mmCIF file of all heavy atoms in Angstrom:
data_model
loop_
_atom_site.group_PDB
_atom_site.id
_atom_site.type_symbol
_atom_site.label_atom_id
_atom_site.label_comp_id
_atom_site.label_asym_id
_atom_site.label_seq_id
_atom_site.Cartn_x
_atom_site.Cartn_y
_atom_site.Cartn_z
ATOM 1 N N ALA A 1 -1.270 43.231 -37.216
ATOM 2 C CA ALA A 1 -0.595 41.933 -37.141
ATOM 3 C C ALA A 1 -1.526 40.965 -36.431
ATOM 4 O O ALA A 1 -1.791 41.111 -35.238
ATOM 5 C CB ALA A 1 0.728 42.063 -36.385
ATOM 6 N N THR A 2 -2.050 39.990 -37.152
ATOM 7 C CA THR A 2 -2.947 39.016 -36.558
ATOM 8 C C THR A 2 -2.185 37.743 -36.197
ATOM 9 O O THR A 2 -1.205 37.379 -36.848
ATOM 10 C CB THR A 2 -4.111 38.671 -37.504
ATOM 11 O OG1 THR A 2 -3.583 38.196 -38.755
ATOM 12 C CG2 THR A 2 -4.958 39.903 -37.764
ATOM 13 N N ALA A 3 -2.672 37.064 -35.166
ATOM 14 C CA ALA A 3 -1.939 35.914 -34.628
ATOM 15 C C ALA A 3 -2.013 34.685 -35.512
ATOM 16 O O ALA A 3 -1.156 33.803 -35.422
ATOM 17 C CB ALA A 3 -2.463 35.589 -33.229
ATOM 18 N N GLY A 4 -3.051 34.580 -36.340
ATOM 19 C CA GLY A 4 -3.182 33.414 -37.212
ATOM 20 C C GLY A 4 -3.789 32.202 -36.551
ATOM 21 O O GLY A 4 -4.083 31.207 -37.218
ATOM 22 N N VAL A 5 -3.967 32.255 -35.234
ATOM 23 C CA VAL A 5 -4.627 31.181 -34.477
ATOM 24 C C VAL A 5 -5.571 31.828 -33.480
ATOM 25 O O VAL A 5 -5.520 33.037 -33.241
ATOM 26 C CB VAL A 5 -3.612 30.281 -33.734
ATOM 27 C CG1 VAL A 5 -2.734 29.526 -34.712
ATOM 28 C CG2 VAL A 5 -2.757 31.112 -32.779
ATOM 29 N N ASP A 6 -6.428 31.005 -32.895
ATOM 30 C CA ASP A 6 -7.393 31.501 -31.917
ATOM 31 C C ASP A 6 -6.724 31.606 -30.554
ATOM 32 O O ASP A 6 -6.685 30.645 -29.787
ATOM 33 C CB ASP A 6 -8.602 30.564 -31.873
ATOM 34 C CG ASP A 6 -9.701 31.070 -30.947
ATOM 35 O OD1 ASP A 6 -9.586 32.214 -30.467
ATOM 36 O OD2 ASP A 6 -10.663 30.317 -30.713
ATOM 37 N N VAL A 7 -6.202 32.781 -30.233
ATOM 38 C CA VAL A 7 -5.461 32.978 -28.990
ATOM 39 C C VAL A 7 -6.386 32.989 -27.777
ATOM 40 O O VAL A 7 -6.079 32.401 -26.741
ATOM 41 C CB VAL A 7 -4.640 34.288 -29.046
ATOM 42 C CG1 VAL A 7 -3.967 34.569 -27.700
ATOM 43 C CG2 VAL A 7 -3.596 34.214 -30.149
ATOM 44 N N ASN A 8 -7.536 33.674 -27.900
ATOM 45 C CA ASN A 8 -8.404 33.851 -26.724
ATOM 46 C C ASN A 8 -9.529 32.823 -26.633
ATOM 47 O O ASN A 8 -10.372 32.906 -25.738
ATOM 48 C CB ASN A 8 -8.982 35.269 -26.700
ATOM 49 C CG ASN A 8 -9.830 35.572 -27.933
ATOM 50 O OD1 ASN A 8 -10.100 34.690 -28.749
ATOM 51 N ND2 ASN A 8 -10.220 36.828 -28.075
ATOM 52 N N GLY A 9 -9.576 31.869 -27.565
ATOM 53 C CA GLY A 9 -10.553 30.788 -27.472
ATOM 54 C C GLY A 9 -11.973 31.171 -27.780
ATOM 55 O O GLY A 9 -12.910 30.485 -27.360
ATOM 56 N N ASP A 10 -12.165 32.256 -28.560
ATOM 57 C CA ASP A 10 -13.530 32.665 -28.872
ATOM 58 C C ASP A 10 -14.061 32.031 -30.145
ATOM 59 O O ASP A 10 -15.177 32.327 -30.577
ATOM 60 C CB ASP A 10 -13.622 34.188 -28.968
ATOM 61 C CG ASP A 10 -12.799 34.766 -30.124
ATOM 62 O OD1 ASP A 10 -12.115 33.977 -30.824
ATOM 63 O OD2 ASP A 10 -12.829 35.998 -30.314
ATOM 64 N N GLY A 11 -13.269 31.169 -30.778
ATOM 65 C CA GLY A 11 -13.729 30.497 -31.983
ATOM 66 C C GLY A 11 -13.395 31.235 -33.255
ATOM 67 O O GLY A 11 -13.755 30.763 -34.343
ATOM 68 N N ASN A 12 -12.718 32.373 -33.164
ATOM 69 C CA ASN A 12 -12.348 33.158 -34.351
ATOM 70 C C ASN A 12 -10.841 33.374 -34.390
ATOM 71 O O ASN A 12 -10.221 33.684 -33.365
ATOM 72 C CB ASN A 12 -13.048 34.526 -34.331
ATOM 73 C CG ASN A 12 -14.551 34.401 -34.441
ATOM 74 O OD1 ASN A 12 -15.072 33.627 -35.241
ATOM 75 N ND2 ASN A 12 -15.264 35.145 -33.618
ATOM 76 N N ASN A 13 -10.267 33.246 -35.583
ATOM 77 C CA ASN A 13 -8.833 33.486 -35.745
ATOM 78 C C ASN A 13 -8.578 34.927 -36.151
ATOM 79 O O ASN A 13 -7.966 35.210 -37.181
ATOM 80 C CB ASN A 13 -8.251 32.532 -36.798
ATOM 81 C CG ASN A 13 -8.289 31.093 -36.351
ATOM 82 O OD1 ASN A 13 -8.384 30.804 -35.160
ATOM 83 N ND2 ASN A 13 -8.224 30.177 -37.299
ATOM 84 N N THR A 14 -9.052 35.848 -35.339
ATOM 85 C CA THR A 14 -8.909 37.269 -35.649
ATOM 86 C C THR A 14 -8.072 38.018 -34.617
ATOM 87 O O THR A 14 -7.946 39.239 -34.702
ATOM 88 C CB THR A 14 -10.292 37.939 -35.739
ATOM 89 O OG1 THR A 14 -10.989 37.748 -34.497
ATOM 90 C CG2 THR A 14 -11.120 37.353 -36.874
ATOM 91 N N ASP A 15 -7.500 37.293 -33.650
ATOM 92 C CA ASP A 15 -6.780 37.943 -32.560
ATOM 93 C C ASP A 15 -5.513 38.631 -33.059
ATOM 94 O O ASP A 15 -4.859 38.175 -34.000
ATOM 95 C CB ASP A 15 -6.406 36.920 -31.488
ATOM 96 C CG ASP A 15 -7.625 36.185 -30.968
ATOM 97 O OD1 ASP A 15 -8.569 36.854 -30.539
ATOM 98 O OD2 ASP A 15 -7.624 34.944 -31.011
ATOM 99 N N PHE A 16 -5.160 39.733 -32.403
ATOM 100 C CA PHE A 16 -3.915 40.421 -32.716
ATOM 101 C C PHE A 16 -2.743 39.694 -32.059
ATOM 102 O O PHE A 16 -2.909 38.980 -31.060
ATOM 103 C CB PHE A 16 -3.963 41.866 -32.212
ATOM 104 C CG PHE A 16 -5.068 42.682 -32.820
ATOM 105 C CD1 PHE A 16 -6.037 43.272 -32.012
ATOM 106 C CD2 PHE A 16 -5.155 42.862 -34.187
ATOM 107 C CE1 PHE A 16 -7.057 44.029 -32.550
ATOM 108 C CE2 PHE A 16 -6.176 43.613 -34.748
ATOM 109 C CZ PHE A 16 -7.132 44.194 -33.931
ATOM 110 N N VAL A 17 -1.565 39.901 -32.633
ATOM 111 C CA VAL A 17 -0.351 39.376 -32.009
ATOM 112 C C VAL A 17 -0.256 39.951 -30.594
ATOM 113 O O VAL A 17 -0.476 41.155 -30.397
ATOM 114 C CB VAL A 17 0.887 39.762 -32.842
ATOM 115 C CG1 VAL A 17 2.172 39.522 -32.063
ATOM 116 C CG2 VAL A 17 0.904 38.976 -34.149
ATOM 117 N N PRO A 18 0.042 39.128 -29.587
ATOM 118 C CA PRO A 18 0.126 39.634 -28.213
ATOM 119 C C PRO A 18 1.037 40.859 -28.105
ATOM 120 O O PRO A 18 2.153 40.879 -28.608
ATOM 121 C CB PRO A 18 0.709 38.439 -27.447
ATOM 122 C CG PRO A 18 0.236 37.251 -28.219
ATOM 123 C CD PRO A 18 0.264 37.664 -29.655
ATOM 124 N N GLY A 19 0.511 41.894 -27.450
ATOM 125 C CA GLY A 19 1.253 43.136 -27.282
ATOM 126 C C GLY A 19 0.929 44.193 -28.310
ATOM 127 O O GLY A 19 1.297 45.363 -28.141
ATOM 128 N N THR A 20 0.257 43.800 -29.403
ATOM 129 C CA THR A 20 -0.104 44.766 -30.441
ATOM 130 C C THR A 20 -1.604 45.035 -30.409
ATOM 131 O O THR A 20 -2.376 44.298 -29.798
ATOM 132 C CB THR A 20 0.292 44.270 -31.844
ATOM 133 O OG1 THR A 20 -0.588 43.200 -32.247
ATOM 134 C CG2 THR A 20 1.728 43.781 -31.863
ATOM 135 N N THR A 21 -2.001 46.082 -31.087
ATOM 136 C CA THR A 21 -3.418 46.433 -31.205
ATOM 137 C C THR A 21 -3.730 46.681 -32.681
ATOM 138 O O THR A 21 -2.918 46.388 -33.567
ATOM 139 C CB THR A 21 -3.733 47.679 -30.358
ATOM 140 O OG1 THR A 21 -2.846 48.745 -30.733
ATOM 141 C CG2 THR A 21 -3.560 47.395 -28.872
ATOM 142 N N ARG A 22 -4.872 47.241 -32.932
ATOM 143 C CA ARG A 22 -5.353 47.382 -34.305
ATOM 144 C C ARG A 22 -4.504 48.352 -35.126
ATOM 145 O O ARG A 22 -4.224 49.474 -34.704
ATOM 146 C CB ARG A 22 -6.811 47.867 -34.287
ATOM 147 C CG ARG A 22 -7.465 47.922 -35.657
ATOM 148 C CD ARG A 22 -8.957 48.057 -35.507
ATOM 149 N NE ARG A 22 -9.358 49.375 -35.089
ATOM 150 C CZ ARG A 22 -10.039 50.231 -35.859
ATOM 151 N NH1 ARG A 22 -10.373 49.895 -37.077
ATOM 152 N NH2 ARG A 22 -10.401 51.406 -35.402
ATOM 153 N N ASN A 23 -4.103 47.895 -36.307
ATOM 154 C CA ASN A 23 -3.451 48.736 -37.318
ATOM 155 C C ASN A 23 -2.268 49.543 -36.779
ATOM 156 O O ASN A 23 -2.192 50.759 -36.925
ATOM 157 C CB ASN A 23 -4.488 49.676 -37.946
ATOM 158 C CG ASN A 23 -5.450 48.951 -38.852
ATOM 159 O OD1 ASN A 23 -5.182 47.841 -39.295
ATOM 160 N ND2 ASN A 23 -6.582 49.571 -39.139
ATOM 161 N N VAL A 24 -1.316 48.833 -36.167
ATOM 162 C CA VAL A 24 -0.160 49.515 -35.579
ATOM 163 C C VAL A 24 1.009 49.662 -36.548
ATOM 164 O O VAL A 24 1.927 50.447 -36.293
ATOM 165 C CB VAL A 24 0.322 48.770 -34.321
ATOM 166 C CG1 VAL A 24 -0.696 48.888 -33.195
ATOM 167 C CG2 VAL A 24 0.609 47.293 -34.629
ATOM 168 N N PHE A 25 0.988 48.917 -37.658
ATOM 169 C CA PHE A 25 2.100 49.015 -38.600
ATOM 170 C C PHE A 25 1.915 50.197 -39.552
ATOM 171 O O PHE A 25 0.799 50.609 -39.858
ATOM 172 C CB PHE A 25 2.258 47.712 -39.388
ATOM 173 C CG PHE A 25 3.073 46.677 -38.653
ATOM 174 C CD1 PHE A 25 2.469 45.814 -37.763
ATOM 175 C CD2 PHE A 25 4.447 46.598 -38.835
ATOM 176 C CE1 PHE A 25 3.216 44.872 -37.068
ATOM 177 C CE2 PHE A 25 5.209 45.664 -38.147
ATOM 178 C CZ PHE A 25 4.592 44.794 -37.263
ATOM 179 N N ASN A 26 3.047 50.734 -39.997
ATOM 180 C CA ASN A 26 3.101 51.924 -40.859
ATOM 181 C C ASN A 26 2.563 53.159 -40.152
ATOM 182 O O ASN A 26 1.971 54.041 -40.775
ATOM 183 C CB ASN A 26 2.339 51.699 -42.177
ATOM 184 C CG ASN A 26 3.029 50.700 -43.079
ATOM 185 O OD1 ASN A 26 4.227 50.482 -42.965
ATOM 186 N ND2 ASN A 26 2.269 50.074 -43.969
ATOM 187 N N ARG A 27 2.787 53.217 -38.843
ATOM 188 C CA ARG A 27 2.392 54.390 -38.069
ATOM 189 C C ARG A 27 3.517 54.860 -37.152
ATOM 190 O O ARG A 27 3.274 55.387 -36.078
ATOM 191 C CB ARG A 27 1.103 54.102 -37.276
ATOM 192 C CG ARG A 27 -0.165 54.157 -38.137
ATOM 193 C CD ARG A 27 -0.328 55.514 -38.763
ATOM 194 N NE ARG A 27 -1.401 55.619 -39.746
ATOM 195 C CZ ARG A 27 -1.229 55.503 -41.058
ATOM 196 N NH1 ARG A 27 -0.035 55.225 -41.536
ATOM 197 N NH2 ARG A 27 -2.222 55.672 -41.887
ATOM 198 N N GLY A 28 4.764 54.641 -37.595
ATOM 199 C CA GLY A 28 5.905 55.202 -36.896
ATOM 200 C C GLY A 28 6.510 54.347 -35.808
ATOM 201 O O GLY A 28 7.498 54.762 -35.188
ATOM 202 N N THR A 29 5.928 53.175 -35.534
ATOM 203 C CA THR A 29 6.461 52.317 -34.462
ATOM 204 C C THR A 29 6.776 50.919 -34.983
ATOM 205 O O THR A 29 6.703 49.937 -34.231
ATOM 206 C CB THR A 29 5.452 52.221 -33.299
ATOM 207 O OG1 THR A 29 4.203 51.679 -33.788
ATOM 208 C CG2 THR A 29 5.201 53.590 -32.670
ATOM 209 N N ASP A 30 7.133 50.815 -36.252
ATOM 210 C CA ASP A 30 7.334 49.499 -36.858
ATOM 211 C C ASP A 30 8.441 48.691 -36.167
ATOM 212 O O ASP A 30 8.345 47.469 -36.062
ATOM 213 C CB ASP A 30 7.656 49.649 -38.350
ATOM 214 C CG ASP A 30 6.416 49.966 -39.170
ATOM 215 O OD1 ASP A 30 5.364 50.218 -38.562
ATOM 216 O OD2 ASP A 30 6.499 49.959 -40.408
ATOM 217 N N THR A 31 9.498 49.356 -35.708
ATOM 218 C CA THR A 31 10.590 48.630 -35.068
ATOM 219 C C THR A 31 10.102 47.894 -33.828
ATOM 220 O O THR A 31 10.369 46.695 -33.642
ATOM 221 C CB THR A 31 11.727 49.595 -34.692
ATOM 222 O OG1 THR A 31 12.209 50.239 -35.870
ATOM 223 C CG2 THR A 31 12.862 48.838 -34.026
ATOM 224 N N GLN A 32 9.354 48.599 -32.978
ATOM 225 C CA GLN A 32 8.828 47.973 -31.762
ATOM 226 C C GLN A 32 7.789 46.906 -32.085
ATOM 227 O O GLN A 32 7.763 45.828 -31.474
ATOM 228 C CB GLN A 32 8.200 49.026 -30.843
ATOM 229 C CG GLN A 32 9.167 50.116 -30.400
ATOM 230 C CD GLN A 32 9.103 51.340 -31.291
ATOM 231 O OE1 GLN A 32 9.242 51.250 -32.514
ATOM 232 N NE2 GLN A 32 8.875 52.506 -30.671
ATOM 233 N N MET A 33 6.917 47.183 -33.049
ATOM 234 C CA MET A 33 5.869 46.226 -33.379
ATOM 235 C C MET A 33 6.442 44.969 -34.028
ATOM 236 O O MET A 33 5.986 43.850 -33.756
ATOM 237 C CB MET A 33 4.849 46.884 -34.319
ATOM 238 C CG MET A 33 4.080 48.047 -33.697
ATOM 239 S SD MET A 33 3.182 47.580 -32.192
ATOM 240 C CE MET A 33 4.200 48.384 -30.939
ATOM 241 N N LEU A 34 7.456 45.139 -34.883
ATOM 242 C CA LEU A 34 8.063 43.974 -35.523
ATOM 243 C C LEU A 34 8.785 43.115 -34.491
ATOM 244 O O LEU A 34 8.817 41.879 -34.616
ATOM 245 C CB LEU A 34 9.024 44.414 -36.622
ATOM 246 C CG LEU A 34 9.586 43.293 -37.496
ATOM 247 C CD1 LEU A 34 8.459 42.507 -38.164
ATOM 248 C CD2 LEU A 34 10.536 43.852 -38.550
ATOM 249 N N ALA A 35 9.347 43.737 -33.464
ATOM 250 C CA ALA A 35 9.979 42.968 -32.388
ATOM 251 C C ALA A 35 8.953 42.081 -31.693
ATOM 252 O O ALA A 35 9.245 40.924 -31.338
ATOM 253 C CB ALA A 35 10.641 43.916 -31.396
ATOM 254 N N LEU A 36 7.747 42.588 -31.483
ATOM 255 C CA LEU A 36 6.685 41.788 -30.873
ATOM 256 C C LEU A 36 6.258 40.651 -31.795
ATOM 257 O O LEU A 36 5.995 39.531 -31.336
ATOM 258 C CB LEU A 36 5.489 42.683 -30.539
ATOM 259 C CG LEU A 36 5.717 43.721 -29.433
ATOM 260 C CD1 LEU A 36 4.541 44.689 -29.357
ATOM 261 C CD2 LEU A 36 5.928 43.030 -28.083
ATOM 262 N N VAL A 37 6.185 40.937 -33.082
ATOM 263 C CA VAL A 37 5.821 39.899 -34.050
ATOM 264 C C VAL A 37 6.869 38.791 -34.054
ATOM 265 O O VAL A 37 6.541 37.593 -34.043
ATOM 266 C CB VAL A 37 5.657 40.508 -35.456
ATOM 267 C CG1 VAL A 37 5.592 39.406 -36.525
ATOM 268 C CG2 VAL A 37 4.402 41.354 -35.525
ATOM 269 N N ASN A 38 8.133 39.165 -34.076
ATOM 270 C CA ASN A 38 9.194 38.153 -34.109
ATOM 271 C C ASN A 38 9.277 37.367 -32.801
ATOM 272 O O ASN A 38 9.607 36.170 -32.810
ATOM 273 C CB ASN A 38 10.534 38.816 -34.425
ATOM 274 C CG ASN A 38 10.653 39.171 -35.905
ATOM 275 O OD1 ASN A 38 10.080 38.500 -36.763
ATOM 276 N ND2 ASN A 38 11.395 40.220 -36.205
ATOM 277 N N ALA A 39 8.972 38.018 -31.681
ATOM 278 C CA ALA A 39 8.925 37.284 -30.414
ATOM 279 C C ALA A 39 7.801 36.256 -30.446
ATOM 280 O O ALA A 39 7.955 35.123 -29.951
ATOM 281 C CB ALA A 39 8.740 38.257 -29.250
ATOM 282 N N TYR A 40 6.674 36.629 -31.031
ATOM 283 C CA TYR A 40 5.547 35.705 -31.162
ATOM 284 C C TYR A 40 5.897 34.565 -32.114
ATOM 285 O O TYR A 40 5.584 33.395 -31.844
ATOM 286 C CB TYR A 40 4.315 36.460 -31.642
ATOM 287 C CG TYR A 40 3.156 35.591 -32.029
ATOM 288 C CD1 TYR A 40 2.412 34.920 -31.059
ATOM 289 C CD2 TYR A 40 2.814 35.412 -33.367
ATOM 290 C CE1 TYR A 40 1.350 34.100 -31.416
ATOM 291 C CE2 TYR A 40 1.758 34.600 -33.729
ATOM 292 C CZ TYR A 40 1.024 33.946 -32.760
ATOM 293 O OH TYR A 40 -0.018 33.137 -33.108
ATOM 294 N N ARG A 41 6.561 34.885 -33.227
ATOM 295 C CA ARG A 41 6.951 33.846 -34.179
ATOM 296 C C ARG A 41 7.931 32.863 -33.523
ATOM 297 O O ARG A 41 7.902 31.655 -33.806
ATOM 298 C CB ARG A 41 7.591 34.480 -35.421
ATOM 299 C CG ARG A 41 6.596 35.176 -36.333
ATOM 300 C CD ARG A 41 7.292 35.871 -37.503
ATOM 301 N NE ARG A 41 8.065 34.948 -38.317
ATOM 302 C CZ ARG A 41 7.565 34.203 -39.311
ATOM 303 N NH1 ARG A 41 6.263 34.298 -39.602
ATOM 304 N NH2 ARG A 41 8.334 33.395 -40.009
ATOM 305 N N ALA A 42 8.791 33.373 -32.656
ATOM 306 C CA ALA A 42 9.761 32.500 -31.991
ATOM 307 C C ALA A 42 9.069 31.446 -31.134
ATOM 308 O O ALA A 42 9.547 30.307 -31.018
ATOM 309 C CB ALA A 42 10.716 33.331 -31.144
ATOM 310 N N THR A 43 7.935 31.801 -30.522
ATOM 311 C CA THR A 43 7.204 30.829 -29.698
ATOM 312 C C THR A 43 6.641 29.690 -30.529
ATOM 313 O O THR A 43 6.326 28.624 -30.002
ATOM 314 C CB THR A 43 6.056 31.515 -28.935
ATOM 315 O OG1 THR A 43 5.099 32.031 -29.883
ATOM 316 C CG2 THR A 43 6.580 32.660 -28.074
ATOM 317 N N ALA A 44 6.492 29.940 -31.847
ATOM 318 C CA ALA A 44 5.990 28.902 -32.760
ATOM 319 C C ALA A 44 7.125 28.267 -33.555
ATOM 320 O O ALA A 44 6.870 27.486 -34.481
ATOM 321 C CB ALA A 44 4.962 29.503 -33.711
ATOM 322 N N GLY A 45 8.379 28.588 -33.202
ATOM 323 C CA GLY A 45 9.524 28.004 -33.892
ATOM 324 C C GLY A 45 9.723 28.539 -35.287
ATOM 325 O O GLY A 45 10.286 27.837 -36.147
#
């Protein structure tokens, strides 16, 4: 789950959604990871 914006200010839009790491979906924790994604989406309305 990538953030879609430059979260850490390094000039690249490759950052993960806060709280997630690389390739966490489809590995048995989708409920928790989707909650983090939706919390992040809420901050952007």
Side-chain angles (χ1 to χ4, degrees):
T2 57
V5 295
D6 184 8
V7 175
N8 61 7
D10 64 357
N12 295 317
N13 293 339
T14 58
D15 304 306
F16 300 121
V17 167
T20 72
T21 54
R22 186 165 74 112
N23 288 342
V24 291
F25 276 87
N26 291 337
R27 282 300 172 264
T29 59
D30 284 8
T31 301
Q32 301 94 306
M33 295 303 107
L34 188 58
L36 293 171
V37 167
N38 284 330
Y40 171 72
R41 287 176 59 85
T43 64

